Amino acid sequence: MKKVNQKFLRSQGLTERTQSKMLGVRSVFSLIHSFHSQVQQRNQSKELTAQRNLLAWLTVPVSSAPFAVFRVLFGFALVFSSIRFIILGWIDDQYISPVFHFSYYGFSWVKPLPPIMLYGLYGLMTLAALLILIGFYYRIATVCFFILFNYFELLDKAYYLNHYYFVSLTVFLLIVIPTHSRLSIDCYLKPERYRVRLPRWNLILLQLQIGCVYFFAGIAKMNADWLFDALPLRIWLPAHNDLPLVGSIFSYVETAFVFSWAGMLFDTLIVFFLLWKRTQFFAYATVVLFHSITGLLFPIGLFPLVMIFSTPLFFHHQFHDRLVFWIESKNFFIYTSKSINHPLQQGFSVIHQFFFFSYITLQILIPLRSFLYSGNLYWTENGYRFSWRVMLMEKSGEATFYVKDSTTGREGMVINREFLNATQEKQMSFQPDMILEFAHFLHNHYSQKGMKNPEVRAEVYVTLNGRPSQLFIDSTRNLALETENFFEKKWVLPYPY
């Protein structure tokens, strides 16, 4: 090749010195190209090895005992929550009595059924929760609960809670993950379903789902209001200074700072301590203490119970093995002598891999979508829901709507309580998408009453974390002409502080 190159260069009339230089440069480029190719091949080889190692690690069989314990505890929380919801009369309060419901974007077609059917469906959902708990017709029960639970959640976003979202996602995972492989009626009736081990990726999915709740909640607390002004805890804690024995400490500002920093550190780090065998029982005691205190002080429903029952999934498998083996050794009806360790049937196929990595990617990206928007997140609430921001702000508003007949020019004030219950009105008063939806409802309502092309505007004043109330949206804007979408709402005024 070198001779060929020399011959070609001589044919170009170049001197020997120039030919030598050009051949030297060409040699250097050849060496660089060769080196680059070797590096690329080495990197590709490393990447392939890393991918193979990751897939092999995710496929490693792990004990199925943690899944069984998780299913029983989580199923109990579902049953308790469902029965509590019925007893408290919330089916009537939230889904039957209101004249109007706030729908999620793209789900306005989900409407409440007649009352008798709503009660019937809720009863069916409670039954499905019970079947999940005992592991009977597990697959059907998880699918049934997932559909019905999300149906009720989609009826009205005024009742959105983070732990409802967590329940929805977790039950979705239970459809895929066979947590009924032990301690279940299904295994008693069909011993061939009994499994001592399951692929590790099942465990990773559930642990990651729980971990997202804490970690993103911790990241969200890393803001100036929470850390340097102890807001909103400085507003909330003094309201509990009448508690026996410890009530007086809630009057001190220092207590609010301690709670703020402790809450941030707890949420951010607790999953790592739960994962480490040496610290996990201390970490779980902290989980119980933390959620017991927050459940006592704040109206956050069953969120503490759900998390206390979910986090034992992080315990080392030896704890679960001892517990499950002890139960099975008593020959309870959930175990039969025919139950044997059948080989794994659930591998890690391409479909499983696609589901696994897609799900993880979505769970990471969805809470971060708020960074796509400008402005103060707590003011505009763009990307606030579904991002695990739990008890982060004290926000309230006062919304007054006006409807104007475009033909006569006459304008009247709307009495919100004629259409909304107290919870709906409270939530609507500071959330832009709900303000817009209610304005559209008023436009349609008064159009049907015979008003010609009614214009709807609103004067909304909102206070955030104790700061003076400010005008929230452009009060001159005809909201009936605005459309709902995922873009920023230009009619929401900038946060003034």
Side-chain angles (χ1 to χ4, degrees), residues 184-203:
S184 70
I185 304 296
D186 285 342
C187 283
Y188 174 76
L189 297 176
K190 294 186 177 180
E192 64 271 19
R193 291 180 176 172
Y194 185 85
R195 298 284 183 280
V196 172
R197 299 190 181 280
L198 291 172
R200 177 181 275 151
W201 63 269
N202 294 279
L203 184 64

Side-chain angles (χ1 to χ4, degrees), residues 361-379:
T361 303
L362 284 175
Q363 292 311 308
I364 293 173
L365 292 181
I366 289 175
L368 299 177
R369 73 190 190 286
S370 60
F371 290 104
L372 298 174
Y373 299 98
S374 62
N376 186 304
L377 168 65
Y378 303 117
W379 184 255

Side-chain angles (χ1 to χ4, degrees), residues 220-280:
K221 288 182 173 66
M222 297 179 186
N223 65 77
D225 271 8
W226 185 272
L227 295 178
F228 304 124
D229 291 323
L231 290 170
L233 291 180
R234 281 172 62 182
I235 302 171
W236 293 339
L237 290 181
H240 301 282
N241 59 10
D242 58 346
L243 286 175
L245 300 178
V246 297
S248 59
I249 67 170
F250 296 127
S251 299
Y252 298 104
V253 174
E254 291 80 3
T255 305
F257 275 97
V258 170
F259 273 52
S260 294
W261 280 85
M264 183 274 292
L265 292 172
F266 171 83
D267 283 338
T268 308
L269 301 175
I270 192 63
V271 170
F272 302 105
F273 287 109
L274 283 168
L275 283 169
W276 192 18
K277 186 181 177 183
R278 291 185 177 181
T279 58
Q280 56 190 200

Side-chain angles (χ1 to χ4, degrees), residues 43-333:
N43 289 339
Q44 288 175 351
S45 177
K46 285 182 178 177
E47 288 177 4
L48 288 173
T49 303
Q51 289 177 7
R52 280 195 290 267
N53 290 340
L54 175 61
L55 294 178
W57 183 79
L58 290 170
T59 316
V60 169
V62 297
S63 170
S64 61
F67 297 94
V69 174
F70 175 80
R71 192 202 74 243
V72 172
L73 292 175
F74 189 71
F76 176 80
L78 297 182
V79 173
F80 180 79
S81 173
S82 301
I83 294 175
R84 174 175 175 265
F85 198 92
I86 296 171
I87 292 175
L88 292 175
W90 288 350
I91 295 176
D92 187 78
D93 292 343
Q94 297 187 10
Y95 305 127
I96 298 175
S97 297
V99 176
F100 171 73
H101 293 281
F102 292 96
S103 60
Y104 288 91
Y105 183 66
F107 289 93
S108 58
W109 51 274
V110 180
K111 300 293 184 187
L113 294 168
I116 187 66
M117 293 189 68
L118 284 177
Y119 275 101
L121 290 179
Y122 216 91
L124 182 60
M125 189 182 79
T126 306
L127 175 62
L130 179 62
L131 296 181
I132 293 173
L133 166 62
I134 62 176
F136 188 39
Y137 285 106
Y138 171 80
R139 296 290 190 190
I140 297 174
T142 50
V143 172
C144 180
F145 187 92
F146 176 76
I147 293 173
L148 292 176
F149 186 81
N150 282 286
Y151 165 71
F152 283 103
E153 291 310 300
L154 290 173
L155 284 179
D156 200 325
K157 63 185 173 189
Y159 309 107
Y160 169 83
L161 291 172
N162 281 291
H163 69 275
Y164 289 165
Y165 178 46
F166 172 74
V167 167
S168 179
L169 291 173
T170 304
V171 174
F172 174 69
L173 290 179
L174 293 189
I175 295 174
V176 181
I177 300 172
T179 62
H180 65 317
S181 298
R182 294 172 81 174
L183 299 184
S184 70
I185 304 296
D186 285 342
C187 283
Y188 174 76
L189 297 176
K190 294 186 177 180
E192 64 271 19
R193 291 180 176 172
Y194 185 85
R195 298 284 183 280
V196 172
R197 299 190 181 280
L198 291 172
R200 177 181 275 151
W201 63 269
N202 294 279
L203 184 64
I204 298 298
L205 270 181
L206 283 174
Q207 289 181 336
L208 178 128
Q209 187 60 73
I210 300 169
C212 280
V213 178
Y214 286 110
F215 185 72
F216 282 111
I219 296 297
K221 288 182 173 66
M222 297 179 186
N223 65 77
D225 271 8
W226 185 272
L227 295 178
F228 304 124
D229 291 323
L231 290 170
L233 291 180
R234 281 172 62 182
I235 302 171
W236 293 339
L237 290 181
H240 301 282
N241 59 10
D242 58 346
L243 286 175
L245 300 178
V246 297
S248 59
I249 67 170
F250 296 127
S251 299
Y252 298 104
V253 174
E254 291 80 3
T255 305
F257 275 97
V258 170
F259 273 52
S260 294
W261 280 85
M264 183 274 292
L265 292 172
F266 171 83
D267 283 338
T268 308
L269 301 175
I270 192 63
V271 170
F272 302 105
F273 287 109
L274 283 168
L275 283 169
W276 192 18
K277 186 181 177 183
R278 291 185 177 181
T279 58
Q280 56 190 200
F281 283 99
F282 169 75
Y284 185 67
T286 308
V287 167
V288 174
L289 178 65
F290 177 84
H291 287 301
S292 298
I293 292 174
T294 54
L296 177 67
L297 297 179
F298 309 120
I300 51 178
L302 292 180
F303 181 74
L305 178 72
V306 171
M307 300 316 292
I308 288 173
F309 279 10
S310 298
T311 42
L313 184 68
F314 289 91
F315 288 178
H316 194 272
H317 69 84
Q318 290 176 352
F319 169 85
H320 297 284
D321 286 338
R322 292 193 193 100
L323 177 62
V324 173
F325 284 148
W326 178 81
I327 296 173
E328 291 177 341
S329 67
K330 300 300 179 184
N331 288 324
F332 291 159
F333 67 95

